[in-house]
Amino acid sequence: MKRTYALWGTLLLLSGAAVAGSLYTGAGDLGDESLRATFLRLRALRTAAGFGAGACLAVAGVLVQALFRNPLAGPSIVGATAGATLGGQLALLGGQGLIAAGVAARLAPEMLVPIGAIAGALFALSALLLIVRGSNDPTHVLLAGFLLSSLFLSIGAFALSLAQDTWELGRAVLSFTLGGVSGRGPGHVAIVATALSAGLAAAMLWAPSLDVLLSGDDEASTLGVDVATTRRWGIVWTAVLSGGAVAVAGNVAFVGLIVPHAIRPFAGVMHRRLLPAVAVAGGLFVVTCDVATRLISVKANMPLGVITGLIGAPLFLLLLRRSQLLGESHG
Amino acid sequence: MADALTLRNLRVLRGSHVCVHDVSWTVEAGTVAAVLGPNGAGKSTLLRGIVGLLPAQGSAQVLGRDVATMSRRERARRVAWLPQESALRTAMPVRDVVAAGLFARRSALGGLTENDAGGVDEAMRAVDVASLSTRPFTQLSGGERRRVLLARALATGAELLLLDEPTAALDLAHALRFFDTIRELTRLGRTVVCVLHDLNDALRFSDLAIVLHHGRQVSSGRTRDALTDDVIRSAWGVSQSPDAAARFDLLESAR
Amino acid sequence: MKRADLLNGAGLLATLVAIVFAVSAVTGSAGSPRQSASAPSQYDADSSPQSAITDATGHPVDIGERRRVVAASTTAADILVTIYERDRLVGVPSASASHRTRAHLVAGLPTFEALSDLERIISLQPDLVVTNGHAAERDIARLRERGIDVFDLGPMAGAEAWLGDVTELARLLDVEERAVAVVDEFNAAMRPRDQTNMRALYIGVYGQSLYGGATGTSYHDVLIAAGLHDAAADAGYSDWPEYNAEEVLTMQPDLVVTADGMGRALCAHPGLHLLAACQTQRVIELPSELLHDPGIGMPDAARALRNRLQTHNTD
């Protein structure tokens, strides 16, 4: 109990600091009274988008690690991340044409990419469920997810090469691919907040099943868990969470893999305690990395996904070493 | 006494391959029953077939209700299964592992009620793991793990316990204590079916037995009646050595 | 264990050394015929500095007329059809052939996708390939190995760089006098007139990304040629910066120039509805083919921008 208070106290304190830092850091000058409110609003939106995306990815990470009892699983393994990324890329490619043709006249132009990403995630999810239909073997899911991801990545690379015809479009597609939360608006925050609340609520509802599922399919099944249904819905919610994250923040690497590992030693492995803590920690991690992108370079924007990867990979190795020393393995 | 488990022409399949052929067996409530046979006889497969982990034909009834007609949660409340080795590789605290036994008794939203918590404590006390309550499962010894898993099976409150080699990882003292525990359980009206390797253990601690060989039922009945010299010779392929005979005699006289 | 470490370590080391040797051997042998092939010209270059021009990659290319020239970039194609005989042009990029306003200038010429389409380019049997900055060095090296002259104009960086390209290419092909008229005409068209005090900003909007063009880009030169101040250059930006909304708001341009269809997305970008240009509807959309043209199209873009400014001012 004491440990729980300490964890939440630390998380909330650090999150407060990260949010404050995020509001304080930026290219605009807060001394300019006429623009101060605007700058703060922009930074608040960006912070909310980053926090939501980080939380989504971290919760999705916990889901897949439990569903596949694989500590190396990240949300990307079910293919939804790659699908959402491809959807966003295609929306960027086709978006200019759609806007010019007035097809998207009723739609806020800034919503084209998120909508493309969500469509991509849903497409990836449907394809995955169609491929593994009827099979209860996690290996099939992992293989199908891997194949779909590879396919989407190849098509995405082709889209990127097509975009090179227009130099700015090529930059934009690449920038989306590498992740970032600059210039996000209320629409983006609404998307990620919806995905997060739905995904987190669903994950909390499935939490007891996920706990039992850590003992493997057979034991969980005899203890009363509907393994196939749990896994199917777990995959769906993972897709919703990671699709929502990609829709507002592009492809942000490593969050879903590392945050659950970093939090388990403090929150434990039981999902009702783990999930909320992981959500806050994921948000905290991405907001901190986003502040870092703003501090490192004001002009040549450092992609968020690169920073999360640069910080995430060494941190992951550190955690891995630590857990080896403790002789523990976190499923 | 009512029958806790009734098998009629039960066949268990792995894919399209029939691994256990037409087993018919009755286990009375409140008894300890042993499933015996050499390696590969289909003992574990039989338990998996009963509990629904493998497809089965024929019928398996628990307290007069066909297992196949039960819902997943109902089956979990009536039949507990303890595997040879748990797939749990997570540093989950022992108490949470045991509490997983209550899964089928909880609503989707519900946490543990006080009543439930009492059941968990009781199960942990019964197999002497109460002192391990906060220890991570992954840091336990093999014997401790088995006892924790047995506590989980007890916590389900199931009338029928299917235990797959429950004493395999236990030292002599804990094994004896374990048999005391299950004897105690049967007095409380539960029924225990366990796969055993050691025929001495079976003779000493079980009331009933079934002997399987190549997936077929060789004999069944009261343990002493089921384990005749002929059965041992045909199933295990050994003729009783004088030494083994002496051990049997010793056990007989000890009863 | 120890022995396995030693064996594998030695093997690894040997492999690395072998790779270094193999690479140096191959590049060395590939380099020598190239050097021997161009040896006379280098000799000439030493005796008479005027006989070769060093291109953007630092490679000397002989001055002289050519019979079969391939333009490997749209800019190169634009310059070549202006200053050289069209029948000596034997290949252009497909982007030139599909250009909305200048396709007719290269109609009927063989096309290819990019310089990386080496086989196609070699099959055109050129004696000179002219390219622009972004080409990969290995593609250029493959062409030079085959004895084909490759002249790299370097990156496109606004009007001055483009005029330099024109002059240099004319010198290379020994038709210097033809460049003079082109340069004069271009300079006249780009001379600022109807000077205003308005501070303008070029912004391209792609999803949530905002891209600019400041000092050293054609966007900057077009704004200046239209009689505007470039707010980005005034704020110290150069080349092609990526902006966020805060930076754009800080510059507070009176006017924003963007490509057609992007005005709505610009003002819908979070925060930018507060931009004076968005509130007073001073967002001018130009046809993207004009706006994004880094070379010969700049005067047309400037002219179009001037016209739009006039209609805006008379509104």
Side-chain angles (χ1 to χ4, degrees):
Chain A
M1 207 75 275
K2 211 168 159 190
R3 217 171 172 185
T4 312
Y5 287 133
L7 172 68
W8 276 98
T10 313
L11 279 181
L12 293 179
L13 207 71
L14 289 177
S15 298
V19 169
S22 182
L23 290 176
Y24 183 73
T25 318
D29 181 6
L30 288 182
D32 184 346
E33 289 210 9
S34 61
L35 287 172
R36 185 187 295 147
T38 309
F39 287 162
L40 286 176
R41 185 178 138 80
L42 284 172
R43 291 175 196 175
L45 287 169
R46 158 182 205 157
T47 308
F51 197 94
C56 280
L57 290 172
V59 170
V62 171
L63 278 178
V64 287
Q65 285 169 14
L67 291 174
F68 299 105
R69 299 201 310 123
N70 184 343
L72 286 179
S76 57
I77 59 165
V78 298
T81 310
T85 306
L86 177 61
Q89 287 169 332
L90 293 180
L92 266 174
L93 273 182
Q96 241 46 63
L98 287 179
I99 292 174
V103 172
R106 294 243 181 109
L107 200 71
E110 57 161 350
M111 284 296 112
L112 271 181
V113 172
I115 288 170
I118 289 169
L122 290 179
F123 177 79
L125 175 65
S126 321
L128 183 78
L129 293 179
L130 207 66
I131 292 172
V132 301
R133 187 180 34 174
S135 165
N136 191 26
D137 186 347
T139 316
H140 288 177
V141 181
L142 293 180
L143 273 176
F146 175 74
L147 283 175
L148 285 174
S149 292
S150 309
L151 177 67
F152 294 146
L153 282 179
S154 317
I155 302 175
F158 179 59
L160 190 57
S161 73
L162 283 183
Q164 299 303 316
D165 281 355
T166 314
W167 132 258
E168 289 179 335
L169 185 58
R171 286 174 83 185
V173 173
L174 189 63
S175 150
F176 172 74
T177 309
L178 294 176
V181 288
S182 170
R184 267 45 174 188
H188 297 94
V189 175
I191 288 176
V192 80
T194 313
L196 176 62
S197 16
L200 184 58
M204 288 297 273
L205 279 176
W206 283 109
S209 298
L210 296 176
D211 291 340
V212 180
L213 205 56
L214 291 177
S215 297
D217 290 10
D218 286 352
E219 287 165 68
S221 166
T222 60
L223 288 167
V225 175
D226 188 342
V227 175
T229 308
T230 307
R231 191 166 283 134
R232 188 164 59 246
W233 283 109
I235 291 169
V236 170
W237 290 113
T238 303
V240 169
L241 286 162
S242 51
V246 173
V248 304
N251 208 352
V252 185
F254 256 110
V255 182
L257 178 61
I258 186 166
V259 174
H261 281 280
I263 294 304
R264 272 196 202 91
F266 306 103
V269 297
M270 304 305 285
H271 288 92
R272 288 228 166 129
R273 266 170 279 161
L274 179 63
L275 284 164
V278 155
V280 174
L284 165 66
F285 180 60
V286 170
V287 170
T288 309
C289 288
D290 180 42
V291 173
T293 65
R294 281 177 269 170
L295 288 176
I296 287 172
S297 54
V298 176
K299 270 196 182 169
N301 288 341
M302 186 82 175
L304 177 61
V306 172
I307 291 280
T308 55
L310 281 178
I311 299 179
L315 204 60
F316 186 70
L317 282 177
L318 203 74
L319 287 169
L320 204 66
R321 245 186 109 72
R322 190 175 170 279
S323 76
Q324 275 169 350
L325 290 177
L326 288 176
E328 285 175 11
S329 86
H330 300 299
Chain B
M1 207 177 271
D3 292 336
L5 176 68
T6 310
L7 307 180
R8 281 199 202 98
N9 297 320
L10 189 76
R11 293 174 161 214
V12 186
L13 301 94
R14 286 185 190 268
S16 58
H17 180 66
V18 181
C19 289
V20 173
H21 300 264
D22 303 309
V23 170
S24 296
W25 190 34
T26 301
V27 178
E28 289 150 24
T31 58
V32 177
V35 181
L36 306 171
N39 290 339
K43 307 183 291 289
S44 301
T45 306
L46 178 64
L47 294 198
R48 287 174 165 267
I50 296 170
V51 81
L53 289 174
L54 287 173
Q57 295 164 356
S59 93
Q61 293 188 342
V62 173
L63 292 164
R65 290 251 292 132
D66 202 316
V67 175
T69 64
M70 294 182 197
S71 73
R72 190 185 311 273
R73 290 171 83 89
E74 187 187 354
R75 190 177 64 210
R77 287 194 295 266
R78 288 171 177 269
V79 187
W81 173 73
L82 181 69
Q84 280 186 19
E85 198 182 337
S86 173
L88 184 61
R89 302 273 178 278
T90 307
M92 192 184 283
V94 164
R95 195 164 200 291
D96 291 321
V97 177
V98 176
L102 295 170
F103 179 83
R105 299 186 179 272
R106 291 161 64 181
S107 67
L109 282 173
L112 287 185
T113 65
E114 248 171 61
N115 213 3
D116 294 338
V120 171
D121 291 334
E122 199 179 317
M124 291 204 293
R125 267 198 306 277
V127 292
D128 192 21
V129 293
S131 61
L132 304 176
S133 183
T134 58
R135 289 269 300 279
F137 184 77
T138 39
Q139 288 179 9
L140 303 181
S141 71
E144 289 169 333
R145 287 187 194 193
R146 295 217 58 86
R147 284 188 282 138
V148 169
L149 294 176
L150 183 63
R152 182 177 74 185
L154 293 181
T156 61
E159 296 99 335
L160 178 64
L161 303 175
L162 304 178
L163 313 180
D164 200 344
E165 299 197 26
T167 54
L170 302 186
D171 60 34
L172 189 61
H174 276 107
L176 287 173
R177 176 144 186 206
F178 173 80
F179 284 117
D180 282 348
T181 308
I182 59 172
R183 177 58 67 196
E184 181 66 29
L185 291 173
T186 57
R187 260 183 226 122
L188 296 170
R190 298 213 196 176
T191 308
V192 177
V193 174
C194 44
V195 172
L196 291 177
H197 249 303
D198 191 325
L199 300 186
N200 289 312
D201 284 349
L203 281 167
R204 194 162 164 193
F205 300 109
S206 67
D207 307 306
L208 305 170
I210 183 169
V211 178
L212 299 178
H213 182 44
H214 291 320
R216 291 178 197 277
Q217 181 172 1
V218 179
S219 71
S220 65
R222 293 184 58 78
T223 308
R224 255 176 307 173
D225 303 338
L227 268 181
T228 62
D229 290 356
D230 281 349
V231 167
I232 292 175
R233 196 176 305 121
S234 68
W236 280 268
V238 293
S239 55
Q240 257 187 46
S241 67
D243 177 40
R247 279 169 61 205
F248 275 113
D249 290 344
L250 197 70
L251 286 169
E252 289 297 308
S253 57
R255 276 179 178 251
Chain C
M1 189 62 199
K2 213 62 185 175
R3 201 160 141 247
D5 286 343
L6 266 173
L7 279 175
N8 286 288
L12 180 66
L13 205 66
T15 312
L16 293 177
V17 172
I19 289 173
V20 172
F21 268 101
V23 168
S24 55
V26 169
T27 50
S29 67
S32 43
R34 179 172 11 130
Q35 272 170 0
S36 63
S38 57
S41 65
Q42 271 184 344
Y43 183 75
D44 289 348
D46 289 344
S47 60
S48 148
Q50 293 302 313
S51 66
I53 300 180
T54 305
D55 78 347
T57 62
H59 195 91
V61 181
D62 289 349
I63 291 175
E65 68 166 343
R66 300 295 203 285
R67 306 229 156 253
R68 302 184 64 82
V69 183
V70 162
S73 72
T74 50
T75 312
D78 290 340
I79 299 176
L80 286 167
V81 293
T82 315
I83 63 168
Y84 213 49
E85 283 81 11
R86 188 185 179 281
D87 59 3
R88 296 193 179 182
L89 202 54
V90 296
V92 293
S94 48
S96 285
S98 59
H99 192 278
R100 202 185 295 165
T101 52
R102 290 199 294 279
H104 66 278
L105 296 174
V106 294
L109 289 177
T111 63
F112 50 89
E113 278 305 313
L115 187 69
S116 57
D117 199 353
L118 285 176
E119 295 185 18
R120 173 88 177 128
I121 288 175
I122 290 169
S123 71
L124 296 171
Q125 298 180 308
D127 48 17
L128 174 69
V129 174
V130 184
T131 183
N132 250 119
H134 295 298
E137 283 185 25
R138 59 166 193 275
D139 294 331
I140 295 179
R142 294 296 85 73
L143 291 171
R144 283 182 177 152
E145 277 166 18
R146 294 197 50 90
I148 299 171
D149 278 343
V150 180
F151 193 84
D152 188 345
L153 293 168
M156 296 167 281
E160 203 175 317
W162 188 75
L163 290 175
D165 290 348
V166 174
T167 314
E168 216 165 35
L169 210 47
R171 263 180 68 207
L172 181 76
L173 296 168
D174 210 7
V175 288
E176 264 176 278
E177 68 290 349
R178 294 188 205 172
V180 177
V182 176
V183 170
D184 286 348
E185 193 186 332
F186 186 89
N187 276 332
M190 291 295 283
R191 195 165 298 129
R193 58 198 73 156
D194 312 326
Q195 184 66 44
T196 68
N197 286 324
M198 277 205 279
R199 296 168 58 259
L201 191 62
Y202 161 73
I203 303 178
V205 189
Y206 299 83
Q208 294 315 108
S209 301
L210 304 174
Y211 296 116
T215 318
T217 71
S218 61
Y219 302 108
H220 170 80
D221 295 331
V222 167
L223 294 183
I224 300 296
L228 299 160
H229 291 280
D230 182 6
D234 293 348
Y237 289 94
S238 62
D239 300 331
W240 298 271
E242 181 176 356
Y243 300 130
N244 60 39
E246 293 186 23
E247 292 170 284
V248 175
L249 285 171
T250 304
M251 285 186 264
Q252 269 300 355
D254 306 310
L255 179 112
V256 173
V257 176
T258 188
D260 34 23
M262 288 187 179
R264 206 162 74 85
L266 176 83
C267 294
H269 188 94
L272 292 193
H273 61 283
L274 291 171
L275 213 55
C278 282
Q279 289 178 341
T280 59
Q281 270 144 36
R282 282 185 189 278
V283 176
I284 293 181
E285 296 183 0
L286 290 185
S288 50
E289 276 186 321
L290 287 181
L291 187 62
H292 298 316
D293 192 315
I296 204 164
M298 276 188 259
D300 293 336
R303 205 169 296 126
L305 183 52
R306 269 184 221 122
N307 290 339
R308 297 294 304 276
L309 282 171
Q310 270 168 4
T311 53
H312 251 277
N313 290 340
T314 52
D315 275 355

